[in-house]
Amino acid sequence: MGGLSEKSTRGLPVWLPPALLTLAVTVTGLGSAQLWRDELATWSAATRSPGELARLAGTIDAATGPYYLLMHGWVTVAGDSTLALRLPAVLAMTVAAGLLAVLGERLVDRRTGLFAGLLFAVLPGTSRYGQEARPYALATALAVLATLLLVTALRRPGWARWVGYAAAVAALGLTHLIALTLLAAHALVVLITWWRGPAAAGITAPGGVPAPGSEPAPAGRQPGVIGGPGGRDRRLWRWVVAVVPAALVVTPLLLRARTQRSRQLSWVSPARLDDLSALPGGVAQSSVVGGLVVGVAALGAARLGRRALLPVSALFLPVVLLFAAGTVVPLWVPRYLVFVVPFACLLAGAALAGVSAPAALAVVVLAGLLGLPDQTALRRTHEWPRSAPVDYAGAARVIADGQRPGDAVVYSPRDSWLFLDLGIDYHLDDPPRDVLVTEDQVRRGDLWAAECAQPAQCLAGTSRVWLVVAGRRAEPLAGIQGPKGDALRADFSVAQVWQRPGLTVALLTRRT
C-alpha cells in the first residue's frame, strides 16, 4: 500500500482507521435532524414495558419486536433523548466499518480491507442509517460479522467457530428478517467449498494460498458424499447445523410478521424493473455516489476473479430474492437492503487496492465530496423526500408557548404513519389533554390510539382546542372528515393559525 501502509498506518490494526472515520462522520450533527416518524415509533415502543412490547408485537411490527426490546433496555439506562436513541446506530455502523476492513483483509489483503472500510465510512447512507433509531445499522454490522465468522469457520473448521457463526445469524434474523436473504450467498459459498474446496470458492488466505487448516477437496469426491472418501470435510453439515438454531428462533417471529404484512406494509407498491436502477442511490442515499460505488465495485469484481464469489453473491442474491418476492407481495423497500452495502464497498476496495495509495484515497475523497449535499440534507431531516420535512418540534413549541390549563389537543389524521400525536408528545413535557382518545397506544397494544366514536360528546366542556393537522392548511378545519370534523366546525371557530413545515397548528375556541 505504499506510504499509507508502511508509514501512516504502521502498527495500526486494519479496522481502526475505518472505524474512527465512521464514528467521526456519524456523530457529526447527530442530533440536528428531528426524530422522524419511524424513529417516533421506536421511541413509543422502547418506552413501554416488556409485557407491553409483547402485546404490541402481537398486533403490529412483530418483525421489529426484538429490536424494540433491545432499545427498551438501552433507554432505561441512557434515556430517550434524540442523541441517546440514535447512539446505538452510531456504534453499530462504527463496528460494521471495522468488521468490513477485517473481512476485506481476510478475503483479499490489507489494502482491500482498509479502502473498503474508508469508502464505507464516507457514504451518505452510512451516516443516514448510522444516525437513525432503527435496526438497519445493527443489521448491517451483524451481516458483516456473520460473513466474517463464516469465512473463519470455512478456513479452520471447528465447532467453536460454527457456534459463533450460528449466534451471529440468529441475531441477524431477530434484528432484520429480510437480512436473512444473506444466507443464500452463504449457502452458495459453503456448497462450492464442500464440492470443490476453499480455493474454488475464493476462501483462501491473502495471495490466493489456502489458509492453514483449510483442506482442498479430496480427490475422488463423489457427488453427495461429504468429504469424499473418509468423509474428511464436514463443512456443509456443520453449516446446516449452525443455521438450524437461527431457523428455530426466527420462525415464530416470521410467521407472526407474515400475518401483519398487509397492515405493516400497506404503503408499499409492487416491485418494478426501474426500482432496481434506483437501488444504488436509495441505499447510498445519493444517486451519484451510489453509481460511483457500483462502477468501482464492478472493476473490483473483475480483479478478484473467484475471490469475488462471496462479496458478489452477498451483494446480489439478497437483492434478487427481495425483488422477486416484491413482485408478488409488497416488500420492496430500498432501506431494507442497506446491509448489502458493505459488500459493494469490499469489491470497490479491491479495485482501489490495485492502484497507488494516493489514487485510491482520491477516489474515497471524491465519494465524500460528491455526497456532501446529501450529507448536509440528511442532517436537516430524515423524511423522504427531504424537501417536505415535518416540524414536530416547531408545532410543539407553538402549543407550549400558548397553552393554558384545561386546553385539549386534537389530531387529524389520527391513524396515519406521520404519528402526529407521538411527535407532539415527544417534544412536550406536559402536552394538552388528548380529548378524543378513548384507549391510548399502550393499552391498545398498537402504534395508534383509538378515538371517541361521538366526538361532540367528548369535546363537551372544552373551551380551547389545539388542532394539529398534517400539511399546510389555510383553512385547517375544512379538510377534517367525518363526525370529528363536523363537531369541530359546529362548536368551534379558528382563533389563530400557525404554519410549520409539514404541519398546521390552529387554536380553536368554543363558539358562544
Side-chain angles (χ1 to χ4, degrees), residues 100-434:
L100 173 59
V102 175
L103 178 62
E105 183 183 39
R106 296 280 178 87
L107 279 179
V108 189
D109 53 32
R110 180 183 174 88
R111 289 167 59 91
T112 296
L114 181 60
F115 289 130
L118 293 176
L119 181 61
F120 178 75
V122 302
L123 297 183
T126 300
S127 292
R128 168 68 171 78
Y129 298 103
Q131 291 191 342
E132 182 172 84
R134 295 299 288 173
Y136 306 116
L138 182 58
T140 301
L142 289 170
V144 180
L145 174 62
T147 305
L148 176 61
L149 292 174
L150 175 67
V151 171
T152 303
L154 289 176
R155 285 184 174 178
R156 295 178 176 272
W159 281 115
R161 297 180 180 88
W162 286 113
V163 168
Y165 172 75
V169 170
L172 178 63
L174 291 174
T175 302
H176 186 26
L177 286 173
I178 289 176
L180 287 179
T181 54
L182 181 66
L183 291 181
H186 290 187
L188 177 62
V189 171
V190 170
L191 284 171
I192 294 179
T193 299
W194 165 68
W195 189 257
R196 296 295 182 184
I203 309 299
T204 56
V209 180
S214 175
E215 303 173 9
R221 167 174 292 168
Q222 299 298 319
V225 179
I226 303 300
R232 289 174 291 179
D233 192 345
R234 297 180 175 86
R235 292 179 179 89
L236 177 61
W237 290 119
R238 289 183 177 181
W239 179 79
V240 171
V241 171
V243 170
V244 166
L248 294 176
V249 169
V250 171
T251 297
L253 191 67
L254 179 63
L255 294 176
R256 189 59 185 171
R258 182 182 178 183
T259 65
Q260 301 170 351
R261 187 185 64 234
S262 60
R263 188 178 185 212
Q264 183 73 24
L265 299 175
S266 59
W267 54 275
V268 180
S269 302
R272 300 170 301 177
L273 283 177
D274 55 355
D275 291 328
L276 288 175
S277 61
L279 180 62
V283 293
Q285 290 289 287
S286 169
S287 299
V288 176
V289 177
L292 174 65
V293 172
V294 169
V296 179
L299 296 176
R303 177 175 181 264
L304 287 180
R306 67 178 61 183
R307 286 183 295 174
L309 175 65
L310 178 56
V312 166
S313 58
L315 173 61
F316 284 106
L317 287 182
V319 174
V320 171
L321 290 174
L322 185 61
F323 180 80
T327 60
V328 180
V329 294
L331 281 175
W332 181 263
V333 181
R335 62 176 176 268
Y336 291 173
L337 289 165
V338 168
F339 67 92
V340 307
V341 173
F343 304 107
C345 290
L346 195 157
L347 293 169
L352 298 179
V355 300
S356 66
L361 288 175
V363 174
V364 174
V365 172
L366 176 62
L369 292 176
L370 290 175
L372 274 180
D374 296 283
Q375 294 274 13
T376 302
L378 67 88
R379 283 164 175 80
R380 289 196 300 267
T381 178
H382 287 182
E383 296 283 351
W384 189 262
R386 295 195 181 108
S387 59
V390 179
D391 187 8
Y392 300 102
R397 282 193 297 271
V398 169
I399 297 173
D401 291 342
Q403 184 177 349
R404 297 178 186 174
D407 284 0
V409 64
V410 171
Y411 300 97
S412 180
R414 164 70 76 174
D415 57 353
S416 80
W417 287 98
L418 287 177
F419 297 127
L420 298 178
D421 50 354
L422 296 181
I424 298 301
D425 286 348
Y426 179 78
H427 292 283
L428 282 180
D429 294 331
D430 184 23
R433 179 170 56 99
D434 201 340

Side-chain angles (χ1 to χ4, degrees), residues 61-101:
D61 222 358
T64 320
Y67 170 75
Y68 289 155
L69 185 61
L70 176 67
M71 288 299 293
H72 168 77
W74 173 262
V75 166
T76 302
V77 175
D80 65 349
S81 69
T82 300
L83 294 178
L85 287 169
R86 289 175 174 169
L87 187 56
V90 171
L91 299 177
M93 276 304 190
T94 300
V95 171
L99 291 174
L100 173 59

